[in-house]
Every structure is written in C-alpha cells, then in structure tokens.
Amino acid sequence: MKDKIRIVTTTSENPDFVNLIAALDESLWERYPELKSDYWGNNIIELNPNVIVLYSENKPVACGCFKKYDKNTIEIKRMFVSPEARGMGLAQTILRELELWAQDLGYSFSVLETLYKQKEAIALYQKTGYSIVDNYEPYVGLENSICMRKPI
C-alpha cells in the first residue's frame, strides 16, 4: 500500500480533508467525551492554505495541516491517519512534508498539541525530534494537553 501513496498539497476546503477531519473529531470525542467543550474551539480550522492529504489507491487515508503560530513558528494541526492505513509510517510522511513546506516558507520552529491519552502520537512526535514543553496558548492551564516543540 505505501508504495502507492500520493501526497497532495491542498487547502482546508478540500472535501477529502473535510471528511478525514470529521473522522478525526469523531474518534477524539469517543476517546475524550468529557473534553469536548474545552477543546472544540481549538480545533476549528479556518480557511487554511497549508493542508496535505495522502491517498492510497486514490482513497484519502491521512491528513495534516499547519498554521502560523508566530513569525518564526508554525503549529501542526489535525494530524490523522484512518484506522485501516495505520502502521505504515504515513503520519511521519505527513509530518515531514508539513515541516519541509514550512521551512520553504521561512519558518524555523514547529509546535503542536496533543492529548495525554494519545500515546502513539506522543511517541511519534518524540521519535521525530519534538520535545515536550510548557503548554503554550491556547492550551495554558489545560492539564490534558501535551505541548511539544521542534526546530525545523
């Protein structure tokens, strides 16, 4: 499957991205029903021109995006790999592509936030060079958040 992966750069208006994000949200609310009210506003994606969708045999199977955090830093958002495509390194592919894209745009750092039960995500981010840092805005005071940072 992995050798038939196609990487598409797009925007948040892409219908495949919208559908993958709906699946991501559903999986998060199943895992963290008690946090929906605390986090829902942080996951709304305004029009975003920095989106990647991965396709396997023309089926959208994974996505991610980034947005500007400050003049030197991007924030990785909405990373998701559909259950049937997990374990193939697609999350690493998305992350690498997003970081390279951000570098091309002149950014030097990447930050991200995940939730404490996302053990696979935390391990992935640490494996790819991210370090846990104090929570940044808007996650300050949200004890379920794990914030991470990496020079890119």
Side-chain angles (χ1 to χ4, degrees):
M1 187 191 235
K2 189 170 181 184
D3 57 345
K4 297 182 180 176
I5 296 298
R6 182 168 49 100
I7 300 168
V8 174
T9 56
T10 185
T11 73
S12 56
E13 293 177 316
N14 178 301
D16 293 329
F17 177 71
V18 171
N19 289 335
L20 285 165
I21 293 310
L24 168 61
D25 285 340
E26 187 176 313
S27 71
L28 287 173
W29 304 143
E30 285 173 8
R31 204 172 210 183
Y32 304 95
E34 74 283 5
L35 299 181
K36 192 169 185 176
S37 62
D38 290 343
Y39 284 86
W40 183 251
N42 297 333
N43 289 327
I44 295 170
I45 298 293
E46 60 285 348
L47 179 60
N48 186 316
N50 305 114
V51 171
I52 289 177
V53 177
L54 297 189
Y55 293 83
S56 174
E57 298 175 2
N58 290 321
K59 180 181 182 219
V61 294
C63 67
C65 65
F66 68 84
K67 67 179 189 177
K68 178 180 179 176
Y69 185 75
D70 65 31
K71 68 181 182 109
N72 297 317
T73 309
I74 55 129
E75 182 180 20
I76 300 289
K77 302 292 287 181
R78 313 311 280 158
M79 291 277 297
F80 181 69
V81 177
S82 58
E84 71 275 10
R86 291 183 183 156
M88 300 179 355
L90 299 183
Q92 283 183 281
T93 299
I94 295 167
L95 202 51
R96 183 178 62 250
E97 292 294 324
L98 291 171
E99 290 168 354
L100 290 171
W101 192 356
Q103 278 180 319
D104 287 347
L105 295 175
Y107 293 98
S108 304
F109 297 95
S110 174
V111 295
L112 58 84
E113 178 270 348
T114 191
L115 293 167
Y116 73 99
K117 290 182 190 174
Q118 307 297 108
K119 303 295 185 202
E120 311 85 356
I122 294 165
L124 163 77
Y125 298 136
Q126 288 180 318
K127 178 180 170 181
T128 58
Y130 283 81
S131 299
I132 295 175
V133 295
D134 291 339
N135 286 9
Y136 56 86
E137 287 295 341
Y139 305 104
V140 173
L142 295 176
E143 62 196 34
N144 296 302
S145 289
I146 306 290
C147 290
M148 305 180 95
R149 185 173 195 261
K150 171 186 175 179
I152 55 173

